[in-house]
Amino acid sequence: MAIKGAGRVKTPVLRIDNLVKSFDGSVVLNDISLTIGEGEVVVIIGPSGCGKSTLLRCVNGLEPVDSGEIYLRDARIDGQKKNLHLVRQKIGMVFQSYDLFPHMDVMDNLLLGPMRALGRTKQDATAEAEAALKRVGLSDKAHALPRQLSGGQKQRVAIVRATLMHPDILLLDEITAALDPEMVREVLSVVLDLAKDGMTMAIVTHEMRFAEAVADRILFMDGGSIVEEGKPKAFFASPETARARKFLNTFTYEELREGIPT
Amino acid sequence: MDWGFINRYTPMYVEAAGLTLRIAAAGIALSFVIGALCCLARYFRVPVLRQITGAYIQLARNTPLLVQLFFLYFGLPKIGVRLSSEGCAVMGLAFLGGAYMAEAFRSGLDAVEKTQVEAGECLGLTNAQNIRYVLFPQALATSIPAICANVIFLIKETSVFSAVALADLMYVAKDLIGMYYKTDEALLMLVIAYLTILLPISALGSWLERRLRYAGFGYQRSV
């Protein structure tokens, strides 16, 4: 047994032990533990307010934690004040609201991190940024300002901006929530490509079909706890817990209409 | 209207305008520095400094410049600090202006979305880099109208400098009225002098405002 397992034991990219977080006395994350391995894509789903976004924000120190431990490749990172920026360089994050810098064009948005945070040369960073923009089909937008882009284009730029830092892990926080279906598709295909390239990711989303397509593992959260965990196929086909079944319960509008007394 | 009189004494106004502008420039430059420091102390909630700057801003904004000048000119020598008239004027203007600039900068900082700062943090920028590349350019663009209004306000406030024996524009006008009773001419030249200084500055302010509307430094396009 030991020999069989030995070659496969790898340090997880991210490990969270017994994380607790509360806002003004109400517990938002209640004893969360999870590990994410190299190249693994973990999708976190659950009802609004279940704590999934807060979980991502705790990982890169945007929210301080009450107790528990967070490790990035063996190094403990929770509560780190000194050199927090060095930790964050290894954790990419993309938000629902894109948060491109409005006073910089697309290329400057992409270059800021690699040049200022990583100290790379402009020539070097530009070459990589151009190649990355091309991959997501936005070569012609290099010198556009964010306000001149559609939501889907902005979000693709935001993803590229995060990946150009070559993070150990990428956190995606409801990145399609503000987009129409067409834009959702273009953004999700970029994420699928990243998954194929082996990017380690933790994704919070309400796009169930995307979750099923991209995830190696699904975490279902409710009330600040991980209620259920499983492989995507099994989870979506037959969730084990009643709570997850209720959450996933699809309906037809006919059913709804019949339910409403006229 | 005695045009000969106006012609004769215009050089006095030009000289006084030069003095007014030099002191205003020095005072306003200092007020930018003071304002920026105070505003950062308040924005980043630096303990103790934050309370001190808060008290300073209230004190500076709620007392007249004339009183502040008297304090510097007549009060400080009593504790052994002796400043020249020019020194008092520059310090007084910086003291008053610093508070106004701090508030103008703060309004700009507050207008920058919190998520912008978070996005900078997520890229692994240091605090200093985040301020310089993300926060400050956006805050400045929003603050420009308030900053321009402050600059114009501070230049106008220089009209009380005559109280500490500085030969500024107001001083020259009062002097000419006292000596020659040419009230109309002296005051007309005074108004023209202030307009000549302030109208171009107003225009510059409007131009900057248009140019930086989208915080698009160097990228302004009509949209």
PDB file of all heavy atoms in Angstrom, chain B residues 136-171:
ATOM      1  N   PHE B 136      -4.116  56.465  -6.633  1.00  0.00           N
ATOM      2  CA  PHE B 136      -3.857  57.893  -6.786  1.00  0.00           C
ATOM      3  C   PHE B 136      -4.321  58.469  -8.134  1.00  0.00           C
ATOM      4  O   PHE B 136      -4.992  59.500  -8.159  1.00  0.00           O
ATOM      5  CB  PHE B 136      -2.373  58.174  -6.541  1.00  0.00           C
ATOM      6  CG  PHE B 136      -2.053  59.635  -6.510  1.00  0.00           C
ATOM      7  CD1 PHE B 136      -2.528  60.423  -5.462  1.00  0.00           C
ATOM      8  CD2 PHE B 136      -1.321  60.229  -7.512  1.00  0.00           C
ATOM      9  CE1 PHE B 136      -2.257  61.775  -5.430  1.00  0.00           C
ATOM     10  CE2 PHE B 136      -1.042  61.586  -7.489  1.00  0.00           C
ATOM     11  CZ  PHE B 136      -1.519  62.359  -6.452  1.00  0.00           C
ATOM     12  N   PRO B 137      -4.005  57.821  -9.263  1.00  0.00           N
ATOM     13  CA  PRO B 137      -4.447  58.411 -10.532  1.00  0.00           C
ATOM     14  C   PRO B 137      -5.966  58.556 -10.616  1.00  0.00           C
ATOM     15  O   PRO B 137      -6.469  59.557 -11.116  1.00  0.00           O
ATOM     16  CB  PRO B 137      -3.955  57.413 -11.584  1.00  0.00           C
ATOM     17  CG  PRO B 137      -2.890  56.636 -10.921  1.00  0.00           C
ATOM     18  CD  PRO B 137      -3.238  56.592  -9.470  1.00  0.00           C
ATOM     19  N   GLN B 138      -6.686  57.559 -10.092  1.00  0.00           N
ATOM     20  CA  GLN B 138      -8.139  57.636 -10.156  1.00  0.00           C
ATOM     21  C   GLN B 138      -8.681  58.691  -9.204  1.00  0.00           C
ATOM     22  O   GLN B 138      -9.611  59.429  -9.522  1.00  0.00           O
ATOM     23  CB  GLN B 138      -8.747  56.276  -9.812  1.00  0.00           C
ATOM     24  CG  GLN B 138      -8.361  55.206 -10.808  1.00  0.00           C
ATOM     25  CD  GLN B 138      -9.125  53.919 -10.561  1.00  0.00           C
ATOM     26  OE1 GLN B 138     -10.342  53.894 -10.569  1.00  0.00           O
ATOM     27  NE2 GLN B 138      -8.407  52.842 -10.334  1.00  0.00           N
ATOM     28  N   ALA B 139      -8.076  58.771  -8.012  1.00  0.00           N
ATOM     29  CA  ALA B 139      -8.522  59.751  -7.022  1.00  0.00           C
ATOM     30  C   ALA B 139      -8.260  61.162  -7.533  1.00  0.00           C
ATOM     31  O   ALA B 139      -9.099  62.052  -7.411  1.00  0.00           O
ATOM     32  CB  ALA B 139      -7.806  59.524  -5.694  1.00  0.00           C
ATOM     33  N   LEU B 140      -7.112  61.355  -8.148  1.00  0.00           N
ATOM     34  CA  LEU B 140      -6.738  62.681  -8.636  1.00  0.00           C
ATOM     35  C   LEU B 140      -7.734  63.173  -9.678  1.00  0.00           C
ATOM     36  O   LEU B 140      -8.168  64.319  -9.653  1.00  0.00           O
ATOM     37  CB  LEU B 140      -5.327  62.647  -9.221  1.00  0.00           C
ATOM     38  CG  LEU B 140      -4.787  64.003  -9.663  1.00  0.00           C
ATOM     39  CD1 LEU B 140      -4.627  64.916  -8.455  1.00  0.00           C
ATOM     40  CD2 LEU B 140      -3.460  63.858 -10.384  1.00  0.00           C
ATOM     41  N   ALA B 141      -8.111  62.268 -10.592  1.00  0.00           N
ATOM     42  CA  ALA B 141      -9.037  62.659 -11.647  1.00  0.00           C
ATOM     43  C   ALA B 141     -10.349  63.147 -11.051  1.00  0.00           C
ATOM     44  O   ALA B 141     -10.919  64.136 -11.504  1.00  0.00           O
ATOM     45  CB  ALA B 141      -9.277  61.489 -12.592  1.00  0.00           C
ATOM     46  N   THR B 142     -10.813  62.458 -10.007  1.00  0.00           N
ATOM     47  CA  THR B 142     -12.070  62.865  -9.377  1.00  0.00           C
ATOM     48  C   THR B 142     -11.906  64.160  -8.595  1.00  0.00           C
ATOM     49  O   THR B 142     -12.830  64.953  -8.479  1.00  0.00           O
ATOM     50  CB  THR B 142     -12.560  61.763  -8.408  1.00  0.00           C
ATOM     51  OG1 THR B 142     -12.422  60.515  -9.072  1.00  0.00           O
ATOM     52  CG2 THR B 142     -14.000  61.982  -8.016  1.00  0.00           C
ATOM     53  N   SER B 143     -10.704  64.370  -8.051  1.00  0.00           N
ATOM     54  CA  SER B 143     -10.484  65.544  -7.194  1.00  0.00           C
ATOM     55  C   SER B 143     -10.237  66.826  -7.966  1.00  0.00           C
ATOM     56  O   SER B 143     -10.296  67.904  -7.376  1.00  0.00           O
ATOM     57  CB  SER B 143      -9.256  65.328  -6.299  1.00  0.00           C
ATOM     58  OG  SER B 143      -9.376  64.175  -5.546  1.00  0.00           O
ATOM     59  N   ILE B 144      -9.920  66.698  -9.256  1.00  0.00           N
ATOM     60  CA  ILE B 144      -9.477  67.882 -10.000  1.00  0.00           C
ATOM     61  C   ILE B 144     -10.398  69.101  -9.852  1.00  0.00           C
ATOM     62  O   ILE B 144      -9.909  70.198  -9.555  1.00  0.00           O
ATOM     63  CB  ILE B 144      -9.261  67.528 -11.509  1.00  0.00           C
ATOM     64  CG1 ILE B 144      -7.979  66.734 -11.673  1.00  0.00           C
ATOM     65  CG2 ILE B 144      -9.218  68.767 -12.377  1.00  0.00           C
ATOM     66  CD1 ILE B 144      -6.698  67.538 -11.561  1.00  0.00           C
ATOM     67  N   PRO B 145     -11.718  68.945 -10.007  1.00  0.00           N
ATOM     68  CA  PRO B 145     -12.563  70.144  -9.850  1.00  0.00           C
ATOM     69  C   PRO B 145     -12.400  70.785  -8.474  1.00  0.00           C
ATOM     70  O   PRO B 145     -12.275  72.008  -8.368  1.00  0.00           O
ATOM     71  CB  PRO B 145     -13.981  69.601 -10.048  1.00  0.00           C
ATOM     72  CG  PRO B 145     -13.814  68.348 -10.829  1.00  0.00           C
ATOM     73  CD  PRO B 145     -12.508  67.764 -10.391  1.00  0.00           C
ATOM     74  N   ALA B 146     -12.379  69.966  -7.430  1.00  0.00           N
ATOM     75  CA  ALA B 146     -12.246  70.510  -6.072  1.00  0.00           C
ATOM     76  C   ALA B 146     -10.871  71.148  -5.874  1.00  0.00           C
ATOM     77  O   ALA B 146     -10.747  72.197  -5.236  1.00  0.00           O
ATOM     78  CB  ALA B 146     -12.468  69.409  -5.042  1.00  0.00           C
ATOM     79  N   ILE B 147      -9.840  70.525  -6.441  1.00  0.00           N
ATOM     80  CA  ILE B 147      -8.493  71.081  -6.308  1.00  0.00           C
ATOM     81  C   ILE B 147      -8.408  72.437  -6.999  1.00  0.00           C
ATOM     82  O   ILE B 147      -7.872  73.404  -6.451  1.00  0.00           O
ATOM     83  CB  ILE B 147      -7.448  70.108  -6.894  1.00  0.00           C
ATOM     84  CG1 ILE B 147      -7.345  68.865  -6.014  1.00  0.00           C
ATOM     85  CG2 ILE B 147      -6.075  70.784  -6.991  1.00  0.00           C
ATOM     86  CD1 ILE B 147      -6.498  67.757  -6.619  1.00  0.00           C
ATOM     87  N   CYS B 148      -8.977  72.521  -8.209  1.00  0.00           N
ATOM     88  CA  CYS B 148      -8.951  73.791  -8.942  1.00  0.00           C
ATOM     89  C   CYS B 148      -9.692  74.868  -8.165  1.00  0.00           C
ATOM     90  O   CYS B 148      -9.214  76.005  -8.060  1.00  0.00           O
ATOM     91  CB  CYS B 148      -9.594  73.624 -10.320  1.00  0.00           C
ATOM     92  SG  CYS B 148      -8.588  72.643 -11.401  1.00  0.00           S
ATOM     93  N   ALA B 149     -10.839  74.510  -7.618  1.00  0.00           N
ATOM     94  CA  ALA B 149     -11.604  75.486  -6.830  1.00  0.00           C
ATOM     95  C   ALA B 149     -10.762  75.965  -5.653  1.00  0.00           C
ATOM     96  O   ALA B 149     -10.744  77.159  -5.332  1.00  0.00           O
ATOM     97  CB  ALA B 149     -12.905  74.866  -6.346  1.00  0.00           C
ATOM     98  N   ASN B 150     -10.040  75.046  -5.020  1.00  0.00           N
ATOM     99  CA  ASN B 150      -9.192  75.418  -3.882  1.00  0.00           C
ATOM    100  C   ASN B 150      -8.069  76.351  -4.301  1.00  0.00           C
ATOM    101  O   ASN B 150      -7.753  77.312  -3.596  1.00  0.00           O
ATOM    102  CB  ASN B 150      -8.570  74.173  -3.245  1.00  0.00           C
ATOM    103  CG  ASN B 150      -9.572  73.416  -2.392  1.00  0.00           C
ATOM    104  OD1 ASN B 150     -10.669  73.921  -2.149  1.00  0.00           O
ATOM    105  ND2 ASN B 150      -9.209  72.225  -1.968  1.00  0.00           N
ATOM    106  N   VAL B 151      -7.446  76.059  -5.450  1.00  0.00           N
ATOM    107  CA  VAL B 151      -6.342  76.901  -5.918  1.00  0.00           C
ATOM    108  C   VAL B 151      -6.834  78.326  -6.128  1.00  0.00           C
ATOM    109  O   VAL B 151      -6.212  79.294  -5.668  1.00  0.00           O
ATOM    110  CB  VAL B 151      -5.736  76.321  -7.218  1.00  0.00           C
ATOM    111  CG1 VAL B 151      -4.828  77.339  -7.877  1.00  0.00           C
ATOM    112  CG2 VAL B 151      -4.963  75.042  -6.909  1.00  0.00           C
ATOM    113  N   ILE B 152      -7.977  78.444  -6.778  1.00  0.00           N
ATOM    114  CA  ILE B 152      -8.522  79.781  -7.039  1.00  0.00           C
ATOM    115  C   ILE B 152      -8.881  80.480  -5.728  1.00  0.00           C
ATOM    116  O   ILE B 152      -8.563  81.645  -5.505  1.00  0.00           O
ATOM    117  CB  ILE B 152      -9.748  79.662  -7.972  1.00  0.00           C
ATOM    118  CG1 ILE B 152      -9.254  79.255  -9.369  1.00  0.00           C
ATOM    119  CG2 ILE B 152     -10.524  80.963  -8.029  1.00  0.00           C
ATOM    120  CD1 ILE B 152     -10.340  78.794 -10.295  1.00  0.00           C
ATOM    121  N   PHE B 153      -9.500  79.725  -4.829  1.00  0.00           N
ATOM    122  CA  PHE B 153      -9.864  80.259  -3.505  1.00  0.00           C
ATOM    123  C   PHE B 153      -8.628  80.759  -2.761  1.00  0.00           C
ATOM    124  O   PHE B 153      -8.623  81.855  -2.198  1.00  0.00           O
ATOM    125  CB  PHE B 153     -10.579  79.154  -2.719  1.00  0.00           C
ATOM    126  CG  PHE B 153     -10.591  79.335  -1.240  1.00  0.00           C
ATOM    127  CD1 PHE B 153     -11.417  80.292  -0.641  1.00  0.00           C
ATOM    128  CD2 PHE B 153      -9.802  78.538  -0.417  1.00  0.00           C
ATOM    129  CE1 PHE B 153     -11.427  80.441   0.729  1.00  0.00           C
ATOM    130  CE2 PHE B 153      -9.822  78.693   0.954  1.00  0.00           C
ATOM    131  CZ  PHE B 153     -10.630  79.648   1.529  1.00  0.00           C
ATOM    132  N   LEU B 154      -7.551  79.981  -2.818  1.00  0.00           N
ATOM    133  CA  LEU B 154      -6.344  80.356  -2.074  1.00  0.00           C
ATOM    134  C   LEU B 154      -5.679  81.588  -2.681  1.00  0.00           C
ATOM    135  O   LEU B 154      -5.164  82.438  -1.954  1.00  0.00           O
ATOM    136  CB  LEU B 154      -5.361  79.181  -2.020  1.00  0.00           C
ATOM    137  CG  LEU B 154      -5.814  78.011  -1.133  1.00  0.00           C
ATOM    138  CD1 LEU B 154      -4.893  76.814  -1.303  1.00  0.00           C
ATOM    139  CD2 LEU B 154      -5.866  78.425   0.328  1.00  0.00           C
ATOM    140  N   ILE B 155      -5.700  81.689  -4.001  1.00  0.00           N
ATOM    141  CA  ILE B 155      -5.118  82.883  -4.627  1.00  0.00           C
ATOM    142  C   ILE B 155      -5.910  84.123  -4.203  1.00  0.00           C
ATOM    143  O   ILE B 155      -5.339  85.165  -3.887  1.00  0.00           O
ATOM    144  CB  ILE B 155      -5.081  82.739  -6.161  1.00  0.00           C
ATOM    145  CG1 ILE B 155      -4.118  81.611  -6.549  1.00  0.00           C
ATOM    146  CG2 ILE B 155      -4.625  84.048  -6.809  1.00  0.00           C
ATOM    147  CD1 ILE B 155      -4.090  81.300  -8.025  1.00  0.00           C
ATOM    148  N   LYS B 156      -7.217  83.976  -4.155  1.00  0.00           N
ATOM    149  CA  LYS B 156      -8.036  85.117  -3.731  1.00  0.00           C
ATOM    150  C   LYS B 156      -7.772  85.479  -2.263  1.00  0.00           C
ATOM    151  O   LYS B 156      -7.802  86.636  -1.884  1.00  0.00           O
ATOM    152  CB  LYS B 156      -9.525  84.809  -3.939  1.00  0.00           C
ATOM    153  CG  LYS B 156      -9.896  84.815  -5.412  1.00  0.00           C
ATOM    154  CD  LYS B 156     -11.388  84.766  -5.633  1.00  0.00           C
ATOM    155  CE  LYS B 156     -11.966  83.448  -5.183  1.00  0.00           C
ATOM    156  NZ  LYS B 156     -13.375  83.300  -5.575  1.00  0.00           N
ATOM    157  N   GLU B 157      -7.513  84.460  -1.461  1.00  0.00           N
ATOM    158  CA  GLU B 157      -7.250  84.711  -0.038  1.00  0.00           C
ATOM    159  C   GLU B 157      -5.985  85.538   0.184  1.00  0.00           C
ATOM    160  O   GLU B 157      -5.775  86.087   1.264  1.00  0.00           O
ATOM    161  CB  GLU B 157      -7.129  83.385   0.721  1.00  0.00           C
ATOM    162  CG  GLU B 157      -8.448  82.693   0.990  1.00  0.00           C
ATOM    163  CD  GLU B 157      -9.321  83.476   1.958  1.00  0.00           C
ATOM    164  OE1 GLU B 157      -8.929  83.603   3.118  1.00  0.00           O
ATOM    165  OE2 GLU B 157     -10.382  83.961   1.530  1.00  0.00           O
ATOM    166  N   THR B 158      -5.122  85.597  -0.825  1.00  0.00           N
ATOM    167  CA  THR B 158      -3.891  86.391  -0.654  1.00  0.00           C
ATOM    168  C   THR B 158      -4.216  87.858  -0.426  1.00  0.00           C
ATOM    169  O   THR B 158      -3.350  88.624  -0.012  1.00  0.00           O
ATOM    170  CB  THR B 158      -2.965  86.305  -1.892  1.00  0.00           C
ATOM    171  OG1 THR B 158      -3.672  86.803  -3.024  1.00  0.00           O
ATOM    172  CG2 THR B 158      -2.501  84.885  -2.145  1.00  0.00           C
ATOM    173  N   SER B 159      -5.468  88.257  -0.691  1.00  0.00           N
ATOM    174  CA  SER B 159      -5.827  89.675  -0.541  1.00  0.00           C
ATOM    175  C   SER B 159      -5.771  90.144   0.910  1.00  0.00           C
ATOM    176  O   SER B 159      -5.864  91.335   1.167  1.00  0.00           O
ATOM    177  CB  SER B 159      -7.215  89.926  -1.132  1.00  0.00           C
ATOM    178  OG  SER B 159      -8.164  89.145  -0.467  1.00  0.00           O
ATOM    179  N   VAL B 160      -5.620  89.227   1.863  1.00  0.00           N
ATOM    180  CA  VAL B 160      -5.485  89.693   3.252  1.00  0.00           C
ATOM    181  C   VAL B 160      -4.019  89.884   3.662  1.00  0.00           C
ATOM    182  O   VAL B 160      -3.738  90.288   4.779  1.00  0.00           O
ATOM    183  CB  VAL B 160      -6.176  88.734   4.272  1.00  0.00           C
ATOM    184  CG1 VAL B 160      -7.630  88.524   3.897  1.00  0.00           C
ATOM    185  CG2 VAL B 160      -5.437  87.414   4.360  1.00  0.00           C
ATOM    186  N   PHE B 161      -3.096  89.613   2.753  1.00  0.00           N
ATOM    187  CA  PHE B 161      -1.682  89.693   3.119  1.00  0.00           C
ATOM    188  C   PHE B 161      -1.240  91.094   3.501  1.00  0.00           C
ATOM    189  O   PHE B 161      -0.262  91.277   4.223  1.00  0.00           O
ATOM    190  CB  PHE B 161      -0.780  89.206   1.971  1.00  0.00           C
ATOM    191  CG  PHE B 161      -0.802  87.723   1.798  1.00  0.00           C
ATOM    192  CD1 PHE B 161      -0.252  87.144   0.651  1.00  0.00           C
ATOM    193  CD2 PHE B 161      -1.363  86.890   2.749  1.00  0.00           C
ATOM    194  CE1 PHE B 161      -0.266  85.784   0.476  1.00  0.00           C
ATOM    195  CE2 PHE B 161      -1.382  85.530   2.575  1.00  0.00           C
ATOM    196  CZ  PHE B 161      -0.839  84.980   1.432  1.00  0.00           C
ATOM    197  N   SER B 162      -1.961  92.105   2.973  1.00  0.00           N
ATOM    198  CA  SER B 162      -1.571  93.476   3.307  1.00  0.00           C
ATOM    199  C   SER B 162      -1.590  93.689   4.820  1.00  0.00           C
ATOM    200  O   SER B 162      -0.888  94.545   5.341  1.00  0.00           O
ATOM    201  CB  SER B 162      -2.500  94.466   2.607  1.00  0.00           C
ATOM    202  OG  SER B 162      -3.834  94.196   2.971  1.00  0.00           O
ATOM    203  N   ALA B 163      -2.367  92.867   5.524  1.00  0.00           N
ATOM    204  CA  ALA B 163      -2.455  93.002   6.981  1.00  0.00           C
ATOM    205  C   ALA B 163      -1.136  92.679   7.676  1.00  0.00           C
ATOM    206  O   ALA B 163      -0.913  93.087   8.815  1.00  0.00           O
ATOM    207  CB  ALA B 163      -3.559  92.087   7.514  1.00  0.00           C
ATOM    208  N   VAL B 164      -0.273  91.907   7.019  1.00  0.00           N
ATOM    209  CA  VAL B 164       1.033  91.649   7.631  1.00  0.00           C
ATOM    210  C   VAL B 164       2.133  92.353   6.838  1.00  0.00           C
ATOM    211  O   VAL B 164       3.234  91.851   6.676  1.00  0.00           O
ATOM    212  CB  VAL B 164       1.346  90.138   7.771  1.00  0.00           C
ATOM    213  CG1 VAL B 164       0.444  89.507   8.818  1.00  0.00           C
ATOM    214  CG2 VAL B 164       1.214  89.419   6.433  1.00  0.00           C
ATOM    215  N   ALA B 165       1.747  93.557   6.334  1.00  0.00           N
ATOM    216  CA  ALA B 165       2.721  94.452   5.708  1.00  0.00           C
ATOM    217  C   ALA B 165       3.381  93.880   4.459  1.00  0.00           C
ATOM    218  O   ALA B 165       4.575  94.053   4.236  1.00  0.00           O
ATOM    219  CB  ALA B 165       3.797  94.859   6.717  1.00  0.00           C
ATOM    220  N   LEU B 166       2.608  93.168   3.657  1.00  0.00           N
ATOM    221  CA  LEU B 166       3.126  92.706   2.368  1.00  0.00           C
ATOM    222  C   LEU B 166       2.519  93.559   1.265  1.00  0.00           C
ATOM    223  O   LEU B 166       1.306  93.787   1.253  1.00  0.00           O
ATOM    224  CB  LEU B 166       2.722  91.253   2.130  1.00  0.00           C
ATOM    225  CG  LEU B 166       3.721  90.170   2.493  1.00  0.00           C
ATOM    226  CD1 LEU B 166       3.163  88.836   2.054  1.00  0.00           C
ATOM    227  CD2 LEU B 166       5.067  90.428   1.840  1.00  0.00           C
ATOM    228  N   ALA B 167       3.355  93.996   0.327  1.00  0.00           N
ATOM    229  CA  ALA B 167       2.854  94.863  -0.737  1.00  0.00           C
ATOM    230  C   ALA B 167       2.209  94.044  -1.846  1.00  0.00           C
ATOM    231  O   ALA B 167       2.686  93.985  -2.963  1.00  0.00           O
ATOM    232  CB  ALA B 167       3.990  95.715  -1.285  1.00  0.00           C
ATOM    233  N   ASP B 168       1.092  93.385  -1.508  1.00  0.00           N
ATOM    234  CA  ASP B 168       0.381  92.590  -2.521  1.00  0.00           C
ATOM    235  C   ASP B 168      -0.589  93.501  -3.271  1.00  0.00           C
ATOM    236  O   ASP B 168      -0.607  94.720  -3.076  1.00  0.00           O
ATOM    237  CB  ASP B 168      -0.341  91.418  -1.862  1.00  0.00           C
ATOM    238  CG  ASP B 168      -1.599  91.869  -1.160  1.00  0.00           C
ATOM    239  OD1 ASP B 168      -1.560  92.975  -0.572  1.00  0.00           O
ATOM    240  OD2 ASP B 168      -2.613  91.152  -1.213  1.00  0.00           O
ATOM    241  N   LEU B 169      -1.413  92.951  -4.133  1.00  0.00           N
ATOM    242  CA  LEU B 169      -2.316  93.728  -4.975  1.00  0.00           C
ATOM    243  C   LEU B 169      -3.236  94.621  -4.146  1.00  0.00           C
ATOM    244  O   LEU B 169      -3.405  95.809  -4.428  1.00  0.00           O
ATOM    245  CB  LEU B 169      -3.149  92.778  -5.843  1.00  0.00           C
ATOM    246  CG  LEU B 169      -2.398  92.153  -7.032  1.00  0.00           C
ATOM    247  CD1 LEU B 169      -3.220  91.021  -7.642  1.00  0.00           C
ATOM    248  CD2 LEU B 169      -2.111  93.211  -8.082  1.00  0.00           C
ATOM    249  N   MET B 170      -3.844  94.021  -3.122  1.00  0.00           N
ATOM    250  CA  MET B 170      -4.785  94.772  -2.283  1.00  0.00           C
ATOM    251  C   MET B 170      -4.081  95.959  -1.620  1.00  0.00           C
ATOM    252  O   MET B 170      -4.631  97.055  -1.533  1.00  0.00           O
ATOM    253  CB  MET B 170      -5.326  93.807  -1.219  1.00  0.00           C
ATOM    254  CG  MET B 170      -6.530  94.329  -0.501  1.00  0.00           C
ATOM    255  SD  MET B 170      -7.886  94.463  -1.679  1.00  0.00           S
ATOM    256  CE  MET B 170      -9.226  94.580  -0.545  1.00  0.00           C
ATOM    257  N   TYR B 171      -2.852  95.695  -1.182  1.00  0.00           N
ATOM    258  CA  TYR B 171      -2.047  96.716  -0.504  1.00  0.00           C
ATOM    259  C   TYR B 171      -1.808  97.905  -1.432  1.00  0.00           C
ATOM    260  O   TYR B 171      -1.976  99.059  -1.053  1.00  0.00           O
ATOM    261  CB  TYR B 171      -0.719  96.079  -0.084  1.00  0.00           C
ATOM    262  CG  TYR B 171       0.212  96.947   0.725  1.00  0.00           C
ATOM    263  CD1 TYR B 171       0.215  96.869   2.111  1.00  0.00           C
ATOM    264  CD2 TYR B 171       1.116  97.801   0.090  1.00  0.00           C
ATOM    265  CE1 TYR B 171       1.083  97.644   2.861  1.00  0.00           C
ATOM    266  CE2 TYR B 171       1.986  98.581   0.829  1.00  0.00           C
ATOM    267  CZ  TYR B 171       1.973  98.498   2.218  1.00  0.00           C
ATOM    268  OH  TYR B 171       2.836  99.263   2.952  1.00  0.00           O
TER     269      TYR B 171
END
